[in-house]
Structure formats: structure tokens, C-alpha cells
Amino acid sequence: MKNTDPLAKHPLSAKYQNLFTKFAVNTPLRLAHFFGQAAHESNLKPRVENLNYSVEALLSKFGRHRISEVDARKLGRIRTQLANQEMLANILYGGSWGLKNLGNKTFGDGWKYRGRGIFQITGLSNYWGLTKYVQEVLGLNVDYVENPDLLLNEADSLIAALWYWQMKKLNSYADKDQGLKISRGINIGNPDTEKIPNHAEDRKVKTEKFKKVFS
């Protein structure tokens, strides 16, 4: 008899069936939207954030409240040098902006808690929230605050992505096939913002691909 369980239709969801079931990401639409976003963010592989920004990208992508023109030109990538990624992370994810938006408290937190995993979990508050959840709810003896590189492991990265998905209540948007809201939740952190997420079209294309996989 043909297996009609949607979780069995992709190697990753089949391998971690219990996890996907625990987080209720187990219907064709929920799986399609989750995998579509994950495919765009990291090609379904745990990754660490690349901050090798060019000077031009720093000046256009980030406001002067995040990085000064002087620092952008000193630290950004140019033809003869790579970007100083550690310093950029500490500047871009630090200061009052980093404290308010990411919970980063001290200089160095920006680099230590830069994006990692399938969905690029970023910032001390997210690493702390994830740690609290896995310890208290899942009963796992892990600490992502102390060991952030654990998110480069496949299982930990998937737990983090599913936790973030649940925290942003993205199942409810997947059930309504509201891909743009999900893209906003993943890329901007707020499904209800009016801002346009980065690479919205590619996210949509990849989600449509996974609708066929999980149908």
C-alpha cells in the first residue's frame, strides 16, 4: 500500500518524523511552506551567517544608525580585502539596536550570536529562548547560549528552526497558504509587517516546488 503520510515524502522530514509531529508541522501545506523557506535560507543545511559585505552593500542595506560610513568603508569588502566579519557583526548587531531587537548586551555578542542553522537564529535573546524551550519543554540538556555552534548540527538546527516557526505561529499562516506573511515572519521577524521580505519571489518559487513534493 502506498504511504500517504506527507512526512515520508522527504528524507529530512522522514528522518525527524517525531520532531515534525511534535511541532505539528505535519500537513502538506505546513511542510511545503517550512521546506520552501528553509530551502531559500540555507538549502536545508545548517549554516553560519556570511557577513562578508561589500562597502556598497553595507551603505545601502543598513542605515547610518546601524553603521557609520567611516566604519563601512574601513570594515567592508573591497577588491583588495575581505570584510572584517567579526567587527561588522559586533557593530551591526550591537549597540542600542542590538539590545532592543536581539537582546545583545555586550560588545562581542553580535559575533557570538550571529545567525546559525537552517533559519539563521540570531541574537542572544533567541539563543536564550531556544535554550529555555529545549531544556524545559523537550527535556534536553543542551545550552545554545554557552555553545552556539551546536546549531551547526543537523538535529539542533532543525529543532531551532521548528522552535522559531512555532514561536512566530507560522502554522496558522501556512494553513491559509499565506506565503508572504510566512516570508515576513522568517526574514523580518513579523508576519504582519508591511515591509517586503528579501527575495520574496524565490521563497515563493521554492514553496511551490515543495507543494508538489508533499502533495
Side-chain angles (χ1 to χ4, degrees):
M1 181 180 293
K2 186 177 180 180
N3 191 339
T4 59
D5 183 352
L7 288 169
K9 295 184 176 183
H10 190 278
L12 196 64
S13 56
K15 181 178 180 180
Y16 294 101
Q17 214 168 65
N18 289 340
L19 266 182
F20 280 93
T21 300
K22 184 181 290 290
F23 286 89
V25 181
N26 54 359
T27 70
L29 265 180
R30 292 177 181 185
L31 286 162
H33 280 283
F34 180 90
F35 272 76
Q37 295 291 333
H40 170 78
E41 290 289 325
S42 62
N43 197 27
L44 300 174
K45 301 288 186 182
R47 291 182 177 177
V48 65
E49 183 177 6
N50 180 5
L51 291 146
N52 188 28
Y53 288 112
S54 68
V55 172
E56 293 75 15
L58 288 168
L59 293 173
S60 62
K61 185 178 177 69
F62 302 99
R64 299 294 73 78
H65 65 295
R66 298 281 300 279
I67 187 168
S68 69
E69 183 173 349
V70 171
D71 282 338
R73 296 192 180 283
K74 180 172 66 174
L75 303 171
R77 188 184 77 247
I78 57 176
R79 186 174 57 83
T80 56
Q81 72 175 23
L82 297 176
N84 186 329
Q85 295 193 46
E86 182 170 353
M87 283 297 296
L88 285 176
N90 288 327
I91 290 172
L92 294 170
Y93 296 152
S96 58
W97 187 93
L99 178 61
K100 178 182 177 181
N101 292 278
L102 299 172
N104 290 335
K105 297 178 179 179
T106 62
F107 191 83
D109 282 352
W111 176 249
K112 184 174 182 179
Y113 303 114
R114 65 196 185 279
R116 291 180 180 84
I118 291 174
F119 278 172
Q120 298 286 280
I121 300 300
T122 307
L124 174 58
S125 60
N126 280 319
Y127 280 79
W128 182 87
L130 173 62
T131 297
K132 187 172 186 291
Y133 181 87
V134 298
Q135 290 180 355
E136 296 180 1
V137 178
L138 300 184
L140 301 176
N141 184 27
V142 293
D143 190 333
Y144 300 110
V145 175
E146 289 298 318
N147 301 287
D149 280 340
L150 287 173
L151 290 187
L152 299 180
N153 299 329
E154 183 181 76
D156 293 280
S157 180
L158 188 56
I159 289 171
L162 288 164
W163 165 79
Y164 187 84
W165 185 271
Q166 176 177 273
M167 183 177 64
K168 296 298 180 181
K169 300 180 173 59
L170 298 183
N171 272 341
S172 63
Y173 299 106
D175 290 342
K176 300 172 186 175
D177 204 14
Q178 294 178 318
L180 182 58
K181 284 185 174 290
I182 294 172
S183 293
R184 287 166 169 161
I186 296 294
N187 181 238
I188 303 172
N190 179 7
D192 296 318
T193 183
E194 293 301 314
K195 296 179 180 178
I196 302 299
N198 291 334
H199 311 293
E201 185 60 28
D202 185 65
R203 296 171 190 274
K204 180 179 178 181
V205 168
K206 285 182 168 59
T207 298
E208 291 300 318
K209 169 191 168 185
F210 281 104
K211 283 181 182 179
K212 296 176 182 177
V213 172
F214 291 109
S215 64

